[in-house]
Amino acid sequence: MASKATSIDIAYRAGVSQSTVSRALRNSPLVNPETRQRIQAIAKELNYKVDKNASNLRTQNSHTLALLICEDPTNDDSLINPFFLSMLGSITRATAQQGYDLLVSFQQLSSDWHADYEDSNKADGIILLGYGDYMDYEQKLLKLLEQDTHFVIWGAEHNNKSVLSVGCDNHQGGVSATEHLLSLGVSDIAFLGDASSHSPEFRDRYLGHVSAMKAKGIKADKRKQFDAINTEASGFDAANLLLDKGLSFDGIFAASDLIAIGAMRALHLRGVRVPDDVAIVGYDDIPVASFANPPLTTVKQNTRLAGEILVDSVLKLIRGQAVSPQLIQTELVVRRSCGESDPKA
Amino acid sequence: MASKATSIDIAYRAGVSQSTVSRALRNSPLVNPETRQRIQAIAKELNYKVDKNASNLRTQNSHTLALLICEDPTNDDSLINPFFLSMLGSITRATAQQGYDLLVSFQQLSSDWHADYEDSNKADGIILLGYGDYMDYEQKLLKLLEQDTHFVIWGAEHNNKSVLSVGCDNHQGGVSATEHLLSLGVSDIAFLGDASSHSPEFRDRYLGHVSAMKAKGIKADKRKQFDAINTEASGFDAANLLLDKGLSFDGIFAASDLIAIGAMRALHLRGVRVPDDVAIVGYDDIPVASFANPPLTTVKQNTRLAGEILVDSVLKLIRGQAVSPQLIQTELVVRRSCGESDPKA
């Protein structure tokens, strides 16, 4: 053989995939012993030299975690959304507390996160925040699994149980928001937020809303669900659309605080009073929620705990310890946007 | 020679420092041509192989910037302070817009940032945010200069003009805060914040305050300067100390919004009304400043612009383009904590 042997040559000769070769050469228990020995024999025969970076993969730690932020590209590109900024702060802090550095990257374009970060030994593991296009994202997750990448995703639990996720219990959060409105006698509720599989977290909040309604014998009216992405502008537009339709409603459950704040602005401009005419609940408890006018009742996602669990989970993966998806309980924060004042305020 | 030659061997033979050897081997113009040739001849004679990572230094870009956050270790370790969080957001975004990744690290312990980041080819350049202990920090900056590191610092301009800095004009900010108080007839002003060379930004704000007073023929009373670091707790304590001293005052200029918010809490608990009894101005315009009770008049540091200029500056350094220290103008944001309402609100 004239040129240097590669793992592709070995895979070809052994009749296995390249990732099986890579696993066999680092003695992974995922490859059965006979196959492992056969692959190692071929590698020896071809005088195959493991690539330095690849060999570093398990033996030399970069002591760095990569945080890949996949923001919805339709977002205003001038600022990170406040929820992600809060997550960035808590993940940065949790990473530092574990003695690691954090490599932050905004990702839309890369097709191979494993090669970009873990294989290149830039990071020992990856935390994924946000989706971009969820369908595209899912394809990349499956590729990461195939490559044995150490990664954890923020958000909804994944159908593939091998994908490690940490997220808030969006279904339960949706239930508690709607139960709160119902407890105040508000039952004609519009939902502002995409409820499709393109936005699994919003969808789960919507499903929680529907099931809380159902528990009270009320059928959620599909016409009162209006798509919105996680921006104020989108919430503003969705509320205007709701008003334009001329449908009745005495409550709004917004899939995020930004949507709620945009909706409140639209209601205000059209002379609809909150909470007198319409009660509104948001989701996230971003810092400005408590300073909205009126202060926004919302479902709090505990970003500090979330950051700690994300970092802890990916480090456990890296160390080969047992891990499983984690759902963080949400907490209803009652302020004044539903007509009830916070007893703690 | 039995063992492999190192740059130390070359330095020893050539009678120069190791960093001169390193410069000469990458043809730096900072080494004169004769010395360069002599060093290169010795390297050849010793069959010296340049370390792969070191040789990558100028030839292969990591397309990553390092952000080293040196937080005051006395800060509450549970959260990043809101000003740094805002800077982290804007630097992350500006870095992404330039097609770079950002490596974020909290730094207290490392003694050699150059080796940790640039020499190891983890990053093409470094942005430094915060000081930790300023004296210790200055030593490290001089070392970075010696090592030809591409770095830019956030904050006060450095005495050594070779240190590239980007910061807000703290002196001018201090002048405008105090001029605002004076314009409202408030002239018996306490300053809450460390005004020593350990906190050069706070010191410059204090010096601006002193010079604005002087311009009106008033001598700032040294007894009314109370040390505080950038936390609410520290502002709370400083205001209590001020009240305990029994000195007169009708205004407070706090060196940061967190200090101002802590001070307002202390005043409130002791029955002192803001703005009726005491007018107060903060500094930074962190997000919660506008939601304080009453909303806080403050000197805004434009973090979005700051992030963009920091990233632009370090990239220019990396590309060998001309750069110079930059001072960003501050902006007085008038709310209600000095008794004047914001005309825009």
Side-chain angles (χ1 to χ4, degrees):
Chain A
M1 244 182 153
S3 62
K4 239 174 63 176
T6 68
S7 61
I8 300 173
D9 302 320
I10 302 171
Y12 181 78
R13 292 231 193 161
V16 299
S17 74
Q18 207 181 343
S19 62
T20 302
V21 170
S22 140
R23 286 183 187 127
L25 294 180
R26 58 170 196 269
N27 289 311
S28 163
L30 295 172
V31 181
N32 74 56
E34 298 87 67
T35 310
R36 204 155 75 203
Q37 281 169 21
R38 189 159 52 87
I39 289 169
Q40 290 176 349
I42 295 170
K44 204 172 170 185
E45 190 193 328
L46 294 180
N47 196 24
Y48 173 72
K49 296 275 179 263
V50 177
D51 174 68
K52 187 176 174 295
N53 281 327
S55 72
N56 279 341
L57 191 53
R58 264 45 172 196
T59 56
Q60 183 191 312
N61 290 329
S62 63
H63 279 279
T64 300
L65 300 178
L67 171 64
L68 308 190
I69 303 181
C70 312
E71 259 205 296
D72 189 318
T74 55
N75 262 357
D76 172 7
D77 75 346
S78 63
L79 285 172
I80 302 176
N81 86 53
F83 179 73
F84 280 0
L85 181 58
S86 178
M87 290 291 286
L88 173 62
S90 74
I91 292 169
T92 303
R93 175 64 76 177
T95 307
Q97 281 170 336
Q98 299 278 356
Y100 276 66
D101 289 345
L102 185 70
L103 182 61
V104 185
S105 183
F106 278 73
Q107 291 287 325
Q108 246 94 62
L109 303 173
S110 172
S111 62
D112 192 342
W113 293 330
H114 180 76
D116 288 353
Y117 295 96
E118 200 168 322
D119 242 1
S120 66
N121 203 30
K122 278 185 179 175
D124 302 340
I126 298 175
I127 298 169
L128 292 163
L129 190 59
Y131 304 127
D133 179 299
Y134 192 73
M135 302 303 163
D136 187 28
Y137 172 77
E138 282 208 292
Q139 290 309 308
K140 291 186 184 173
L141 294 187
L142 297 178
K143 193 166 172 190
L144 287 179
L145 274 185
E146 226 174 69
Q147 293 162 317
D148 281 344
T149 310
H150 303 109
F151 73 102
V152 58
I153 64 171
W154 168 257
E157 218 169 318
H158 199 272
N159 292 331
N160 186 323
K161 294 301 169 205
S162 303
V163 173
L164 180 61
S165 65
V166 174
C168 282
D169 189 336
N170 291 296
H171 190 278
Q172 176 241 337
V175 167
S176 64
T178 298
E179 279 181 347
H180 178 67
L181 288 169
L182 292 170
S183 76
L184 299 169
V186 174
S187 61
D188 191 1
I189 304 169
F191 181 89
L192 306 187
D194 181 13
S196 77
S197 57
H198 285 273
S199 302
E201 292 175 284
F202 284 8
R203 182 202 54 205
D204 289 352
R205 291 166 202 176
Y206 180 69
L207 294 177
H209 160 70
V210 171
S211 80
M213 296 282 273
K214 198 176 170 188
K216 292 282 177 191
I218 307 166
K219 194 172 151 36
D221 186 344
K222 264 241 153 183
R223 294 173 307 161
K224 294 179 183 171
Q225 179 269 317
F226 290 82
D227 283 352
I229 60 169
N230 187 21
T231 65
E232 249 189 85
S234 189
F236 183 81
D237 292 344
N240 276 319
L241 211 58
L242 167 63
L243 290 165
D244 291 344
K245 289 268 180 190
L247 298 168
S248 67
F249 66 100
D250 58 2
I252 291 177
F253 173 19
S256 80
D257 288 346
L258 285 181
I259 293 173
I261 288 168
M264 279 163 68
R265 193 159 51 85
L267 295 172
H268 178 73
L269 289 175
R270 309 257 303 239
V272 181
R273 293 165 305 164
V274 174
D276 310 58
D277 303 325
V278 170
I280 182 162
V281 186
Y283 205 104
D284 286 341
D285 198 24
I286 60 175
V288 299
S290 55
F291 304 112
N293 185 18
L296 186 64
T297 290
T298 189
V299 179
K300 180 187 174 74
Q301 303 207 68
N302 186 335
T303 54
R304 182 170 163 189
L305 185 60
E308 286 168 1
I309 296 180
L310 280 166
V311 169
D312 184 61
S313 297
V314 75
L315 289 178
K316 279 186 174 146
L317 261 189
I318 292 167
R319 293 173 189 141
Q321 295 166 349
V323 279
S324 53
Q326 297 218 37
L327 270 190
I328 300 170
Q329 293 306 295
T330 57
E331 182 197 343
L332 184 77
V333 179
V334 177
R335 296 200 181 95
R336 288 202 296 277
S337 63
C338 299
E340 188 149 276
S341 63
D342 179 359
K344 285 170 288 181
Chain B
M1 245 182 151
S3 62
K4 236 175 65 178
T6 68
S7 61
I8 300 173
D9 302 320
I10 302 172
Y12 181 79
R13 290 234 195 160
V16 298
S17 74
Q18 208 180 342
S19 61
T20 302
V21 170
S22 141
R23 285 183 188 126
L25 294 180
R26 59 171 195 265
N27 289 309
S28 163
L30 294 172
V31 182
N32 75 56
E34 299 87 64
T35 310
R36 205 155 74 204
Q37 281 169 21
R38 190 159 51 89
I39 290 169
Q40 290 175 348
I42 295 169
K44 203 172 171 187
E45 190 193 327
L46 295 180
N47 195 25
Y48 173 72
K49 296 274 179 265
V50 176
D51 174 69
K52 187 176 174 295
N53 281 327
S55 73
N56 279 341
L57 189 54
R58 262 43 174 198
T59 55
Q60 182 191 313
N61 292 329
S62 64
H63 279 280
T64 301
L65 300 178
L67 171 64
L68 308 190
I69 302 181
C70 312
E71 260 205 294
D72 189 318
T74 55
N75 262 357
D76 172 6
D77 75 344
S78 63
L79 286 170
I80 301 177
N81 86 54
F83 180 73
F84 279 2
L85 180 58
S86 177
M87 290 291 286
L88 174 61
S90 73
I91 292 168
T92 303
R93 175 64 77 177
T95 306
Q97 282 170 336
Q98 299 279 355
Y100 276 65
D101 289 345
L102 185 70
L103 181 62
V104 185
S105 183
F106 278 73
Q107 291 289 325
Q108 243 93 63
L109 301 172
S110 171
S111 61
D112 192 342
W113 293 330
H114 180 77
D116 288 353
Y117 296 95
E118 201 167 324
D119 243 1
S120 65
N121 202 33
K122 279 186 181 175
D124 302 339
I126 298 174
I127 297 170
L128 293 163
L129 189 60
Y131 304 127
D133 180 299
Y134 193 73
M135 301 304 162
D136 187 25
Y137 173 78
E138 281 209 291
Q139 290 308 308
K140 291 186 184 172
L141 293 186
L142 297 178
K143 193 165 171 189
L144 287 179
L145 273 184
E146 225 174 70
Q147 292 161 316
D148 282 343
T149 310
H150 302 109
F151 73 102
V152 57
I153 64 170
W154 168 259
E157 216 168 318
H158 199 273
N159 293 330
N160 186 323
K161 293 301 167 205
S162 303
V163 173
L164 181 61
S165 65
V166 173
C168 281
D169 190 337
N170 291 297
H171 191 276
Q172 177 240 337
V175 167
S176 65
T178 298
E179 279 180 346
H180 177 67
L181 289 169
L182 292 169
S183 76
L184 299 170
V186 174
S187 60
D188 192 1
I189 305 169
F191 181 90
L192 306 187
D194 181 11
S196 77
S197 55
H198 286 273
S199 303
E201 293 177 282
F202 284 7
R203 182 202 53 206
D204 289 351
R205 293 167 201 174
Y206 180 68
L207 294 177
H209 161 69
V210 170
S211 80
M213 297 281 272
K214 199 176 170 188
K216 292 282 178 190
I218 307 165
K219 194 170 152 34
D221 186 343
K222 266 241 151 184
R223 293 172 307 160
K224 294 177 183 172
Q225 179 269 319
F226 289 83
D227 283 353
I229 61 168
N230 187 22
T231 65
E232 249 188 87
S234 190
F236 183 82
D237 292 345
N240 276 320
L241 210 58
L242 166 63
L243 290 164
D244 291 343
K245 288 269 179 188
L247 297 168
S248 66
F249 66 100
D250 59 3
I252 290 178
F253 174 19
S256 79
D257 288 346
L258 285 181
I259 293 172
I261 288 167
M264 279 163 69
R265 193 160 51 87
L267 294 172
H268 177 73
L269 289 175
R270 309 258 303 239
V272 181
R273 293 166 306 164
V274 175
D276 309 58
D277 302 326
V278 170
I280 182 162
V281 186
Y283 206 104
D284 286 340
D285 198 24
I286 59 176
V288 299
S290 56
F291 304 111
N293 185 16
L296 185 63
T297 291
T298 188
V299 178
K300 181 187 175 73
Q301 303 206 68
N302 186 335
T303 53
R304 181 169 165 191
L305 185 61
E308 288 169 359
I309 296 180
L310 280 166
V311 169
D312 183 62
S313 296
V314 75
L315 289 178
K316 278 186 174 147
L317 260 189
I318 291 166
R319 295 172 186 142
Q321 295 165 350
V323 279
S324 52
Q326 296 216 38
L327 270 190
I328 300 171
Q329 293 305 296
T330 58
E331 181 198 343
L332 184 76
V333 179
V334 177
R335 297 199 182 96
R336 290 203 294 278
S337 64
C338 299
E340 188 150 276
S341 62
D342 180 358
K344 285 170 289 181

